[in-house]
Amino acid sequence: KKFSFRFEVRASTDAYLGLSTGNSTKISGYWIVLGGWKNSKSCLRDGFVHRTTCFAEHDAFILKSAEYVKFWVTWNYGNISVGIGETFNHGQIMQNNFHNVYDINNLLIKSFNIANWIVYL
């Protein structure tokens, strides 16, 4: 079964979104990192450690500190896609089919700087 949701985030760098089997990063899941490395790259990670699988480098800053940026996420048995905008499957910036498939039950949000989030479930 395919799952999807949209969200908006206003931050200068490092917006982390976790798709997890539990309510902490000590449980299995995936990290979606947006605007990392001084807002120059984003990535997908298998697990909540530094096992980066898929990088996306950006020509311009992907996150904005003065305005919300709209994103979407879809996943289906370890296949995760992330994009910019309101329309699913348009504006894709990252996609990966992970070998480890987790039963996602929780959404985790983390940032290293001030960030404001709006999540549409």
Side-chain angles (χ1 to χ4, degrees), residues 30-69:
Y30 312 102
W31 266 138
I32 299 167
V33 179
L34 299 167
W37 299 269
K38 298 183 182 177
N39 206 4
S40 66
K41 299 178 190 175
S42 296
C43 74
L44 297 173
R45 291 181 176 160
D46 179 358
F48 298 114
V49 294
H50 297 293
R51 291 188 303 224
T52 298
T53 303
C54 177
F55 265 114
E57 296 197 28
H58 311 296
D59 294 334
F61 293 146
I62 194 167
L63 297 176
K64 313 270 186 218
S65 59
E67 66 185 80
Y68 283 94
V69 179

Side-chain angles (χ1 to χ4, degrees), residues 74-91:
T74 63
W75 74 93
N76 184 21
Y77 297 106
N79 186 4
I80 300 176
S81 297
V82 180
I84 295 177
E86 294 184 60
T87 306
F88 294 111
N89 302 317
H90 288 83

